[in-house]
Amino acid sequence: MNTTDRNLRAVHLPADWRPSSWRERTALQLPAYPDADALATVLSELHGLPPLVTSWEILTLKQQLAEAQEGKRFLLQGGDCAENFTDCSSEVISNRLKVLLQMSLVLVHGLRLPVVRVGRFAGQYAKPRSADLETRDGVTLPSYRGDMVNAPEFTLEARTPEPRRMVKAHARSAMTMNFVRSLIDGGFADLHHPEYWDLGWVGHSPLADDYRRMVAGIGDAVRFMETLSGAEVHNLNRVDFYTSHEALLLPYEEALTRQVPRQWGWFNLSTHFPWIGMRTAAVDGAHTEYFRGIRNPIAIKIGPSVTPEQLLRLIDVLNPDDEPGRLSLIHRMGAAHVADKLPTLLDAIKRDGRRVLWICDPMHGNTESTSNGYKTRRFANIRSELERSFELHAAAGTRLGGVHLELTGEDVTECTGGARDLTDIDLERAYRSSVDPRLNYEQALETAMLIVRKQAQLAAPV
Ligand code: PEP
Ligand code: CO
């Protein structure tokens, strides 16, 4: 009997829950669809379409997250802030996969731990917004809420929520998943060939030498093992890759929530690892109600205004059986607040003996606007929040077991700073995000390297 079987016996389906019971609660951040019949037609079509993931993949990930909670794995979660329909292309998908594989190589090598790889993709199409409406030159229209809901152009037609976009998002997610799975099954992730993942920066970056040394070291280790065993090491050519998105658009999520043969309960089969965003994490809100009943591993984003009492109540509702691997908490406090906000939360959860995986999102608390009108994040703040988080966990006796990042495999200029020291002026060169600024491939790699350095520093005897 494996631990999953043992764990499953201890958990139960809440008796008063249904995939639609969230409809009886207050739902924030949902679009107002003008045509109820069109919405109903789309939802019934989605109900009949195949799922995007399987229950056994979901349960395997839950087991791996349980191991991460015990300090035996590290989680790398990353991808776009918002995917969009036009970026569902071979190049964008494979470049994002490349940078995530490179980062995980750096982390595996430096932390000496297996890495759980989770993409923010194949479904990250719906966005929470700070205002329902946007006004420009006296004209007021609904805010853009992601390609799954409406389009970004500032016209009434583009901004009116269109239910058919959910079917398109499902199809784009399936195409993305299909391509990622084929690349991985075809040997793209093979550790014998890390050169498959090379991106433009490897030729000219200040980080390139460090990275190449690491790759050469891994190549030597692989060849050494193969010489010893007299055979090729086959499990090095396959890695697991999981998907995640903010499960914000509840009508869509409900339509993909299914029962499966030989399993009890309900699974969200649109993704392996959905999360609740900071703006929709009220304990009595619709999103918490929906998440409470699904068997997926889930995460909650925690911002600086959450109190220990609120967090403990959320955990009571979302993981009442203290099931291993079930719940991850992604803190996103901002570099300026992390030192005063995080420790009380860490202490409260530790004191109460709750089982969670702590993950740091050093992006969302550090967004600012530049004088030339760009939404950006400064690499120094991202770095500072991440490093401080490792220190604060070490001081509290808790473990920071993962990182959640917005990144891309493209050479964009959206966050300033980093090894190439991008300035506010550089943002004009290649700013492509439709929502939040992402780390470019080089800044993403640099982040993986700084995690390794920080961990080594904390582990070293003083
Ligand atoms: C996001 O992850 O893109 C996001 C909106 O995050 P948060 O809910 O933490 O603000
Ligand atoms: Co974002």
Side-chain angles (χ1 to χ4, degrees):
M1 183 172 66
N2 62 33
T3 44
T4 310
D5 295 328
R6 255 202 326 269
N7 298 336
L8 294 187
R9 211 148 301 151
V11 297
H12 61 278
L13 178 71
D16 52 346
W17 183 91
R18 283 159 291 110
S20 61
S21 53
W22 62 269
R23 293 175 183 274
E24 290 143 31
R25 306 287 182 93
T26 305
L28 300 180
Q29 297 285 344
L30 294 191
Y33 288 102
D35 184 344
D37 290 342
L39 176 62
T41 306
V42 158
L43 292 179
S44 98
E45 184 176 335
L46 279 171
H47 263 288
L49 290 176
L52 300 173
V53 301
T54 63
S55 60
W56 55 87
E57 290 166 346
I58 289 173
L59 294 176
T60 304
L61 174 62
K62 200 191 259 185
Q63 177 60 35
Q64 293 189 5
L65 294 171
E67 290 167 16
Q69 287 173 339
E70 291 168 13
K72 296 182 188 146
R73 291 177 183 268
F74 190 82
L75 173 93
L76 170 64
Q77 184 174 24
D80 282 317
C81 177
E83 290 177 279
N84 58 54
F85 291 162
T86 49
D87 276 351
C88 183
S89 70
S90 150
E91 205 184 344
V92 170
I93 296 169
S94 57
N95 283 348
R96 192 170 47 208
L97 196 61
K98 284 177 185 179
V99 77
L100 286 166
L101 286 167
Q102 287 186 333
M103 292 174 79
S104 77
L105 186 81
V106 169
L107 293 169
V108 168
H109 180 261
L111 303 178
R112 311 268 174 224
L113 282 178
V115 168
V116 187
R117 301 164 193 85
V118 179
R120 252 181 93 110
F121 57 59
Q124 179 55 20
Y125 286 111
K127 296 306 299 173
R129 301 315 304 256
S130 43
D132 285 344
L133 299 170
E134 184 182 340
T135 301
R136 287 191 204 170
D137 301 329
V139 180
T140 299
L141 294 175
S143 294
Y144 169 60
R145 292 188 169 275
D147 275 11
M148 195 180 207
V149 174
N150 56 4
E153 294 76 38
F154 197 72
T155 64
L156 181 60
E157 197 196 348
R159 290 295 177 90
T160 302
E162 160 58 81
R164 265 281 110 233
R165 287 178 162 271
M166 287 192 260
V167 180
K168 197 161 173 182
H170 176 271
R172 289 287 202 271
S173 302
M175 290 174 212
T176 304
M177 282 295 291
N178 182 56
F179 188 44
V180 169
R181 288 189 201 277
S182 312
L183 281 171
I184 287 179
D185 286 346
F188 186 69
D190 189 342
L191 257 188
H192 296 88
H193 294 287
E195 75 278 7
Y196 292 172
W197 320 330
D198 278 358
L199 288 156
W201 69 270
V202 173
H204 50 68
S205 164
L207 305 173
D209 283 348
D210 271 3
Y211 180 71
R212 280 214 205 85
R213 250 195 309 279
M214 203 173 302
V215 168
I218 290 170
D220 285 348
V222 169
R223 277 185 293 279
F224 176 68
M225 274 160 61
E226 290 181 340
T227 310
L228 268 189
S229 66
E232 199 170 303
V233 184
H234 281 293
N235 52 4
L236 293 180
N237 48 29
R238 253 210 67 98
V239 295
D240 291 331
F241 225 106
Y242 297 97
T243 63
S244 65
H245 65 251
E246 178 175 350
L248 180 69
L249 191 58
L250 292 176
Y252 174 85
E253 305 298 338
E254 178 189 334
L256 270 297
T257 302
R258 312 274 172 86
Q259 287 178 301
V260 297
R262 287 176 291 284
Q263 285 285 356
W264 62 272
W266 295 82
F267 291 85
N268 180 329
L269 297 182
S270 77
T271 191
H272 300 109
F273 187 26
W275 78 83
I276 312 185
M278 183 187 75
R279 292 167 190 76
T280 47
V283 71
D284 53 358
H287 290 80
T288 303
E289 172 60 21
Y290 169 75
F291 272 75
R292 155 177 101 90
I294 54 173
R295 283 193 54 203
N296 304 57
I298 61 170
I300 325 172
K301 293 280 206 98
I302 308 292
S305 64
V306 172
T307 65
E309 296 69 37
Q310 284 167 336
L311 191 52
L312 288 169
R313 278 185 61 214
L314 266 174
I315 298 174
D316 283 341
V317 172
L318 292 169
N319 193 19
D321 302 308
D322 202 33
E323 185 194 2
R326 159 75 173 166
L327 187 61
S328 296
L329 301 179
I330 307 173
H331 51 79
R332 31 89 78 227
M333 302 292 168
H337 300 293
V338 65
D340 26 293
K341 300 293 179 184
L342 189 59
T344 43
L345 299 178
L346 300 183
D347 289 344
I349 304 302
K350 185 168 184 220
R351 205 175 326 111
D352 248 59
R354 306 301 176 104
R355 202 189 317 243
V356 300
L357 177 65
W358 288 106
I359 301 171
C360 175
D361 164 0
M363 313 294 296
H364 286 88
N366 293 310
T367 315
E368 56 185 277
S369 295
T370 63
S371 53
N372 51 347
Y374 287 95
K375 202 170 165 191
T376 193
R377 292 162 174 157
R378 312 217 175 263
F379 193 81
N381 291 334
I382 294 170
R383 173 183 193 136
S384 154
E385 178 164 0
L386 199 47
E387 292 184 337
R388 289 299 287 144
S389 296
F390 275 106
E391 289 162 13
L392 294 165
H393 277 277
T398 49
R399 174 173 186 264
L400 183 52
V403 62
H404 179 115
L405 301 167
E406 287 186 345
L407 54 82
T408 168
E410 311 298 305
D411 184 15
V412 299
T413 55
E414 297 173 6
C415 294
T416 59
R420 220 168 270 278
D421 207 11
L422 297 180
T423 64
D424 289 4
I425 302 298
D426 291 318
L427 298 180
E428 288 162 17
R429 184 160 57 81
Y431 195 102
R432 294 222 290 275
S433 174
S434 52
V435 191
D436 287 339
R438 303 160 295 178
L439 298 171
N440 63 24
Y441 50 37
E442 202 170 7
Q443 293 166 330
L445 239 288
E446 190 170 356
T447 307
M449 290 177 177
L450 80 84
I451 291 171
V452 166
R453 269 197 303 273
K454 191 70 204 172
Q455 283 281 63
Q457 185 195 329
L458 287 169
V462 272

